[in-house]
Amino acid sequence: SLLRLHFHDCFVQGCDASVLLSGMEQNAFPNVMSLRGFEVIDSIKAKLETMCKQTVSCADILTVAARDSVVALGGPSWTVPLGRRDSTNANEAVANSDLPPPFFDLVNLTQSFGDKGFTVTDMVALSGAHTIGQAQCLNFRDRLYNETNINSGFATSLKANCPQPTGSGDRNLANLDVLTPYSFDNAYYSNLKSQKGLLHSDQVLFTGTGGGTDNTVNNFASNPAAFSSAFASAMVKMGNLSPLTGSQGQVRLSCSKVN
């Protein structure tokens, strides 16, 4: 949840903790009733404020928390540049337009990540964040019942908790990684090769025909070190998306509201 918070922050007007402001971006379709972890950031912020008042930004806390969450679950570490400042505004419209939805195909994903300066390899590596976490039924129902590039046993195992009628079990959760849902590893890519990607936007990364991003998925599936290195590199790049620095923005006293 903390890793997702960081991603949903940085893809909307840069890594400025705008996603933490009450309302606005939190009400956008990709975020409403699904973003979590705010209380963890608030707890960290409260402790920091007692130690060094108005010094560490919410944006920096979010960036470090995302990294440390990955490490805590067995994933790679990376050096986080610090000095971000917090925005005084948030943008629900940009959240709706810039965060890639779960029904995107490969062309749309490549465009969405490319617009933020990411290579195709970066995109495939960052998608590997789905080695942890869960998704709601409403985001994978269409894949379960209407797509053919899905393992039949995998689909069957999910249908009981995600009925076909819209509105029935919409918020029910399933693990994004069926193999090792609580470990940050490269199993996500093995899932794709077995047609066990939960979201449409996951499975489009691997077709099995040797085109598109198949070679990158094969590499990350067979070489954990290659995935770890590419993921860490892409996360540094993401944490550097349009930060506010110097006298821009502010260091919020409370992450959920402006000073």
Side-chain angles (χ1 to χ4, degrees):
S1 296
L2 296 172
L3 179 59
R4 185 168 182 258
L5 264 184
H6 178 48
F7 169 59
H8 281 224
D9 179 37
C10 293
F11 254 59
V12 182
Q13 67 183 30
C15 304
D16 59 1
S18 58
V19 75
L20 300 178
L21 290 172
S22 295
M24 294 175 281
E25 287 175 29
Q26 295 177 13
N27 296 326
F29 181 76
N31 297 333
V32 68
M33 296 182 71
S34 67
L35 282 185
R36 308 186 316 157
F38 299 107
E39 73 285 352
V40 178
I41 303 300
D42 288 342
S43 174
I44 296 169
K45 179 64 174 174
K47 291 178 180 177
L48 280 166
E49 286 302 314
T50 65
M51 299 167 68
C52 44
K53 192 171 181 63
Q54 210 168 351
T55 303
V56 183
S57 69
C58 299
D60 273 353
I61 292 172
L62 198 48
T63 310
V64 175
R67 191 268 316 270
D68 290 359
S69 300
V70 170
V71 173
L73 292 174
S77 184
W78 56 91
T79 300
V80 176
L82 300 172
R84 296 167 194 78
R85 308 251 303 170
D86 300 323
S87 67
T88 55
N89 62 80
N91 196 318
E92 182 178 346
V94 174
N96 278 320
S97 66
D98 285 19
L99 288 166
F103 54 79
F104 261 13
D105 61 21
L106 187 57
V107 172
N108 296 135
L109 287 172
T110 302
Q111 179 72 49
S112 178
F113 280 81
D115 286 346
K116 303 294 182 184
F118 293 107
T119 67
V120 173
T121 300
D122 291 332
M123 177 193 70
V124 178
L126 288 173
S127 297
H130 285 180
T131 182
I132 52 173
Q134 299 174 313
Q136 298 180 4
C137 165
L138 61 87
N139 289 321
F140 60 84
R141 175 184 284 121
D142 190 59
R143 171 155 165 73
L144 286 189
Y145 294 97
N146 297 317
E147 297 185 8
T148 57
N149 61 337
I150 185 169
N151 178 281
S152 59
F154 175 64
T156 299
S157 70
L158 292 165
K159 286 179 179 177
N161 198 42
C162 187
Q164 190 164 13
T166 300
S168 178
D170 281 2
R171 301 291 175 183
N172 291 349
L173 298 171
N175 291 320
L176 286 159
D177 174 2
V178 68
L179 289 177
T180 54
Y182 305 111
S183 297
F184 198 98
D185 54 26
N186 66 330
Y188 168 81
Y189 301 101
S190 297
N191 293 335
L192 299 186
K193 294 181 66 175
S194 303
Q195 295 191 324
K196 294 179 181 178
L198 183 63
L199 304 177
H200 178 82
S201 56
D202 290 323
Q203 195 60 57
V204 295
L205 300 179
F206 188 82
T207 64
T209 62
T213 54
D214 280 13
N215 287 342
T216 306
V217 170
N218 281 326
N219 182 35
F220 289 163
S222 63
N223 190 336
F227 164 57
S228 292
S229 176
F231 184 81
S233 175
M235 284 299 292
V236 172
K237 189 182 291 188
M238 187 168 76
N240 291 341
L241 283 176
S242 306
L244 299 174
T245 58
S247 60
Q248 297 173 308
Q250 61 184 213
V251 175
R252 285 187 223 139
L253 289 164
S254 169
C255 290
S256 62
K257 61 180 185 289
V258 299
N259 296 342

